[in-house]
Structure formats: structure tokens, C-alpha cells
Amino acid sequence: PEAAVKGIVRMHIAWCVENPGMARFLATISEPAILDAAEAELKEGNERFAAAVRAWWRPHAHYGALRPLTAAQSLALWLGPAQEWIRAWLLGAFEEPPTEAEVELLADAAWLCLREGAG
């Protein structure tokens, strides 16, 4: 699970850096008309994603590798810090995207939060 947790953080950041326009749109979307038009598709995609995460998470939590968290808790701890870093970069708070060392710091932090025995 450690490799998967860290890999998802790396993949998320890499996608955002490679697709800054899409990432900026997703990070700043607030227009009700756009949200309403995409709501059904977004909801369905989010539900499939959450089900897949729960199915993957459950055995790892059962055997003591990951903390027993809800999907919302795991997502917030897993990608929250990386998303905030990316959002700040996309909005101009940082001139450069995260360095490799910064990506690893965020990946390590996610693992430390999610592994059993954390906190």
C-alpha cells in the first residue's frame, strides 16, 4: 500500500503539471451552470472512484497496513496537501511547479497520515 499511496500523489501532481489548464479549471470551478451541466457525469465518476478506493482500501485496513478511514477522510489526507500545493501554484503563489523533492515530501506525508499507527 505504501507504493500505491505515494504513487497516486506523484501521478496526481504530474497530471496537474502536464495539464495546467484542465487542473486550473477543476481547481477553480464554481460556476453553477457548469456544475449543473456536469453534475450527473461528475457524480457517477466520483461514485465509481470512491467504490474502487473502498474496495482497495478495505483489505489493507483489515490486515493493519492502512488506518480504517472513511473515503472522505482518506481522500482529504491522501491528496489534500498535494491539491492545495497545486492550487497555490496554479493561482500564482509559486512561480514553479513542485520540485521532485517537494513531490516526494507530499507523497511521504500522505503515507505517514494513512498508514496504520499514524497519529
Side-chain angles (χ1 to χ4, degrees):
E2 179 178 359
V5 166
K6 291 180 177 184
I8 293 295
V9 172
R10 291 181 193 113
M11 182 180 70
H12 176 70
I13 293 171
W15 183 87
C16 291
V17 169
E18 293 166 10
N19 301 281
M22 288 283 291
R24 185 176 293 105
F25 172 75
L26 292 171
T28 61
I29 187 171
S30 62
E31 179 62 40
I34 294 171
L35 289 172
D36 290 344
E39 183 176 4
E41 186 176 341
L42 288 170
K43 184 177 179 182
E44 182 181 320
N46 285 339
E47 287 172 357
R48 281 194 317 268
F49 176 75
V53 169
R54 280 191 306 273
W56 176 81
W57 194 279
R58 198 172 295 118
H60 294 295
H62 177 77
Y63 291 107
L66 293 171
R67 296 171 72 177
L69 301 170
T70 67
Q73 292 166 337
S74 64
L75 182 60
L77 293 171
W78 198 339
L79 289 177
Q83 283 190 216
E84 284 306 307
W85 182 281
I86 289 296
R87 185 184 330 272
W89 169 64
L90 290 169
L91 295 175
F94 311 124
E95 290 185 26
E96 300 293 325
T99 64
E100 188 175 327
E102 291 164 334
V103 171
E104 290 308 307
L105 175 70
L106 294 167
D108 288 344
W111 173 244
L112 291 172
C113 288
L114 299 175
R115 67 180 173 82
E116 184 57 80

